[in-house]
Amino acid sequence: MRLTNTFSGYQRHWLMPDITAGLVVAALITPQAMAYALLAGMPPQAGLYAALLPVLVYALLGSSPVLAVGPVAVISLMTFEALHTLATPGSADYLHMASALALLTGLWLLLFYLINLGRWTTFISHSVISAFTSATAILIVISQLKYITAIPLPGSGSLWQTLTHLSRDYPEAQPAALLMAAAALTLLYGWQWLMPKATRRLPAWLSSLLNKAGPLAAVVMGIVAVQASGFTIATIGELPTGLPALVWPALTPEQWQALVPAAAVIALIGYLSSLSVAKALTPVSTSDTAPQPAADAPRLRTNQELLALGLANLGAAVSQAFPVAGGFGRSVVNRAAGARTQLASVVTVVLVALVCLYASRLFVDLPYAVLAVIIVSAVLPLISFSDARRAWRFQKGDGLVWLTTFIAVLAAGAVDGILLGMVLSLALYLRRSSEPHIAEIGRVGDSDHFRNVKRHQVTTCPQVLMIRIDENLYFANSQYLEDVICERLQSSQDIRHVVLVGSAINHIDFSGFETLQHLLNKLRARNIQLHLAEVKGPVMDQLGKTSLLDELSPGQIFFTASEALRTLGHC
């Protein structure tokens, strides 16, 4: 465990940019945190608690200088989906289970850290993540319609049930809630469009603060509108004053067991989404060549991120909060506001703590409709179908994974949907690797280069069959290699030598070894000799532990395919 990037080598001229960025993010996270708590089925103060100790822990341990950790929309929805069937949202049992879910999420992340899972950053395909994000964003938008319309929609119903109730009960929508939501939405999008133009001549720090203060302005507008107009509209009421008490979540063994699978998925999604944000915001140089990390940019340590996020979630567990992760929107704002280190997050924590201590009563008249609009405006940019189109055009299998994951998340929920996407993605990978590209190769002209006989004009020898497998040789594809070679032998009676070119083989498992041994005996029975060429060192080390190399004689092991063809075919 180590403290990284926050105080090590800190320079004095970074202080003001960090303070400014911390102030900007605090203005953004205060309304967002309460809104995301609402999304998770938690009281608004739980969102503020999630922006305190967890953020501070990550600030001390995280390796990204600008990643803003705290409550995020997707993880909040996954929290709700994991808990709403086990307890009533907002109840004491529900709050305890949310803290327990954060604890288990943190423990899963720490387990990933101990087994060095940080190196496996492509565990879930991009198609699965993209489809999951788009579908989850749609679910989030629909889940907020009950606050925007004030129609009592079922909080735990399926997507179809929610839409059915909405289409049937829309006459019951409250005009005051609709009007408040429309005003907040107009203010947010108008703010994004007008404020950058109005603040062009202001100092950079002030301009950045004002440009990102749209959610805070919507909160102020909602409170003032309720107080001035006397609207009968649902508001969050008075929040508890003070900082959260540190409490260890206590559940029954059955309740802990019920939360384990959901916590594992939340941990994986939270880590991958946080890591992708941190990588996207890593400073790059502006050279004429391909972008590279800037020379003075701290190095992002993937496994350190697991440790930091794991302990941040443990911090959420003991401070009456719910699972947290790195947020894309806040992280972008953090960097744009000039943050140089995680000291900006420490400043944010101090300011949110002051809100909890002294300003919680200010939000008594804050309408739920405004918080719902803040959530909707934050997640709408996540809905994108361009990835699906690109994946389908590039490879139908990836497009199918995207579509299946998207539909499954909408129909079955975030956890089950992403698990199905992962399984399908793995199944298609095994399907592709079980029938890898296997090419018969020949010499290109008089050179030492060898290419596929079906794609290039090459020279071959009738007595020598040269086969290249473009995949590792393991249990799923070893039989396929044998079948391809036997099929090729049936088309020619002149072949006396088979050369297996292993330039693309990095690993052979025991099934692959047994296939080579069986192939050797099968060819020998037909008076055909097996040879190897361009076998990599690690593979030779594996084969050296077996008797295959001895049994191969009089077959040979050639350094290059060219050497094999000259020796065996005399050409």
Side-chain angles (χ1 to χ4, degrees):
M1 185 184 302
R2 57 182 294 181
L3 301 182
T4 61
N5 299 336
T6 304
F7 304 112
S8 178
Y10 196 86
Q11 300 181 28
R12 183 177 300 178
H13 67 273
W14 293 351
L15 183 59
M16 279 309 299
D18 279 342
I19 292 176
T20 301
L23 177 63
V24 172
V25 174
L28 176 63
I29 199 175
T30 299
Q32 268 193 355
M34 292 188 290
Y36 292 156
L38 188 70
L39 180 59
M42 303 284 286
Q45 67 269 18
L48 296 176
Y49 298 164
L52 293 174
L53 185 57
V55 178
L56 182 61
V57 170
Y58 181 84
L60 297 176
L61 296 174
S63 64
S64 170
V66 296
L67 183 66
V69 168
V72 295
V74 172
I75 301 301
S76 298
L77 178 65
M78 295 180 72
T79 298
F80 176 79
E81 288 199 345
L83 301 181
H84 75 267
T85 58
L86 304 176
T88 303
S91 66
D93 286 343
Y94 190 95
L95 302 188
H96 291 315
M97 296 186 79
S99 296
L101 185 64
L103 175 62
L104 290 173
T105 299
L107 292 178
W108 274 113
L109 288 165
L110 293 179
L111 175 62
F112 296 161
Y113 167 75
L114 292 176
I115 63 175
N116 201 21
L117 188 66
R119 300 174 62 184
W120 306 353
T121 56
T122 56
F123 189 72
I124 304 180
S125 71
H126 175 72
S127 294
V128 172
I129 292 294
S130 173
F132 167 78
T133 302
S134 293
T136 303
I138 292 175
L139 290 177
I140 290 172
V141 171
I142 293 174
S143 72
Q144 298 309 296
L145 294 179
K146 61 183 177 181
Y147 301 108
I148 293 174
T149 63
I151 297 175
L153 300 174
S156 58
S158 66
L159 173 66
W160 179 251
Q161 289 175 319
T162 301
L163 293 178
T164 300
H165 278 80
L166 185 65
S167 63
R168 184 190 63 197
D169 300 336
Y170 73 90
E172 299 180 18
Q174 295 183 9
L178 291 172
L179 181 61
M180 187 66 68
L185 193 64
T186 302
L187 187 150
L188 285 173
Y189 282 96
W191 193 282
Q192 293 178 8
W193 182 60
L194 293 174
M195 192 55 64
K197 300 178 181 179
T199 60
R200 283 181 297 184
R201 298 183 180 180
L202 296 177
W205 68 271
L206 182 57
S207 175
S208 179
L209 176 61
L210 293 175
N211 289 341
K212 308 303 179 183
L216 189 60
V219 166
V220 173
M221 181 274 298
I223 294 173
V224 171
V226 169
Q227 293 176 345
S229 65
F231 280 158
T232 303
I233 188 172
T235 61
I236 68 172
E238 186 171 347
L239 301 179
T241 299
L243 300 178
L246 300 183
V247 180
W248 190 261
L251 300 179
T252 65
E254 293 76 14
Q255 290 174 320
W256 284 108
Q257 185 177 359
L259 296 177
V260 169
V265 178
I266 290 174
L268 192 58
I269 294 301
Y271 168 65
L272 290 175
S273 61
S274 301
L275 189 63
S276 64
V277 172
K279 286 184 174 180
L281 298 180
T282 299
V284 297
S285 64
T286 55
S287 63
D288 295 332
T289 59
Q292 300 292 333
D296 60 346
R299 183 169 64 89
L300 186 67
R301 300 178 177 88
T302 55
N303 220 45
Q304 179 78 13
E305 289 298 292
L306 283 170
L307 175 64
L309 289 170
L311 293 178
N313 275 280
L314 295 187
V318 299
S319 58
Q320 305 179 50
F322 51 93
V324 297
F328 180 76
R330 289 195 304 274
S331 299
V332 171
V333 169
N334 195 32
R335 189 182 72 165
R340 299 300 300 270
T341 72
Q342 282 292 333
L343 184 61
S345 294
V346 176
V347 174
T348 297
V349 169
V350 172
L351 294 174
V352 174
L354 291 176
V355 170
C356 293
L357 288 170
Y358 304 110
S360 57
R361 294 182 180 179
L362 295 178
F363 302 105
V364 171
D365 294 319
L366 174 59
Y368 280 116
V370 171
L371 291 179
V373 168
I374 291 174
I375 293 175
V376 170
S377 64
V379 302
L380 278 179
L382 300 179
I383 303 174
S384 172
F385 299 101
S386 59
D387 281 346
R389 291 193 298 269
R390 290 198 299 268
W392 185 265
R393 290 173 183 172
F394 182 76
Q395 186 167 269
K396 296 295 189 294
D398 288 333
L400 179 62
V401 168
W402 197 101
L403 183 62
T404 302
T405 304
F406 180 80
I407 294 174
V409 170
L410 291 179
V415 175
D416 292 339
I418 198 167
L419 287 176
L420 178 60
M422 291 169 59
V423 170
L424 179 59
S425 185
L426 179 60
L428 289 176
Y429 168 75
L430 292 176
R431 173 69 175 80
R432 286 193 295 266
S433 62
S434 67
E435 294 185 2
H437 180 254
I438 297 177
E440 180 182 352
I441 59 175
R443 188 189 301 277
V444 179
D446 296 329
S447 70
D448 288 334
H449 298 291
F450 282 71
R451 293 293 185 269
N452 193 333
V453 297
K454 294 181 179 180
R455 293 178 176 270
H456 302 273
Q457 291 185 348
V458 296
T459 301
T460 60
C461 290
Q463 300 84 11
V464 181
L465 174 63
M466 305 193 69
I467 293 292
R468 187 192 70 219
I469 174 174
D470 296 329
E471 180 60 78
N472 294 326
L473 191 59
Y474 71 116
F475 67 92
N477 63 20
S478 54
Q479 184 59 49
Y480 181 70
L481 171 65
E482 184 177 340
D483 294 341
V484 169
I485 292 177
C486 291
E487 181 181 351
R488 179 65 182 85
L489 292 176
Q490 290 178 356
S491 63
S492 175
Q493 302 300 320
D494 299 327
I495 297 174
R496 290 294 172 262
H497 302 278
V498 173
V499 180
L500 182 61
V501 180
S503 56
I505 300 177
N506 297 309
H507 172 74
I508 296 180
D509 71 357
F510 187 70
S511 296
F513 155 70
E514 287 189 322
T515 295
L516 292 179
Q517 199 166 41
H518 185 261
L519 182 62
L520 172 64
N521 296 330
K522 194 171 184 177
L523 293 176
R524 187 166 288 168
R526 301 178 60 172
N527 197 27
I528 299 175
Q529 186 60 53
L530 178 66
H531 307 269
L532 303 178
E534 300 187 11
V535 181
K536 295 183 177 180
V539 177
M540 284 297 296
D541 293 340
Q542 286 180 279
L543 296 179
K545 299 175 183 178
T546 71
S547 60
L548 179 68
L549 300 183
D550 294 331
E551 296 174 4
L552 190 65
S553 181
Q556 303 179 56
I557 301 175
F558 296 99
F559 189 68
T560 65
S562 179
E563 179 188 355
L565 191 59
R566 281 197 303 267
T567 302
L568 302 174
H570 307 290
C571 56

